[in-house]
């Protein structure tokens, strides 16, 4: 009879830090790769409205992706949120 393996905590999926311009996101690593692949084929544009919408091609978006150690990820503490918006936590 086979010896049962000891139960370990549920394995976590790899996570990555994805930057698109000045926006930072945490996402599943496999999905992050898909996003990078799709957006690498895009270009930025300026949108204006006069007698209809006008789109002027600018430059490709600034994209970056890096793997994240799961131990580095945490939820924001309510005190951190209050400090971020300038409220006194007391």
């Amino acid at each position: 009879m086979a010896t049962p393996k000891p139960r370990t905590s549920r394995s976590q999926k790899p996570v990555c830090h994805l930057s698109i311009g000045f926006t930072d996101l945490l996402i599943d690593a496999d999905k992050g790769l898909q996003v990078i692949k799709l957006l690498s084929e895009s270009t930025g544009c300026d949108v204006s409205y006069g007698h209809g919408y006008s789109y002027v091609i600018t430059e490709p978006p600034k994209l970056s992706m890096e793997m994240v150690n799961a131990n580095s990820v945490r939820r924001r503490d309510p005190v951190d949120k209050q400090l971020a918006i300038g409220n006194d936590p007391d």
Side-chain angles (χ1 to χ4, degrees), residues 6-85:
R7 288 190 163 209
T8 58
S9 62
R10 191 173 74 187
S11 62
Q12 297 177 350
K13 287 186 175 183
V15 176
C16 72
H17 167 232
L18 186 64
S19 291
I20 304 170
F22 294 105
T23 301
D24 295 306
L25 307 163
L26 285 177
I27 188 170
D28 175 78
D30 291 335
K31 292 179 182 177
L33 283 171
Q34 293 173 10
V35 170
I36 290 289
K37 182 179 177 184
L38 291 169
L39 290 180
S40 67
E41 298 176 13
S42 70
T43 186
C45 69
D46 291 331
V47 181
S48 61
Y49 184 77
H51 297 290
Y53 284 99
S54 173
Y55 304 90
V56 178
I57 294 173
T58 57
E59 58 187 46
K62 291 176 176 49
L63 306 171
S64 70
M65 179 181 151
E66 63 180 332
M67 298 304 292
V68 172
N69 182 338
N71 296 332
S72 300
V73 178
R74 65 178 178 86
R75 293 207 179 272
R76 177 174 279 182
D77 185 353
V79 174
D80 292 344
K81 187 175 182 181
Q82 289 175 347
L83 292 175
I85 59 175

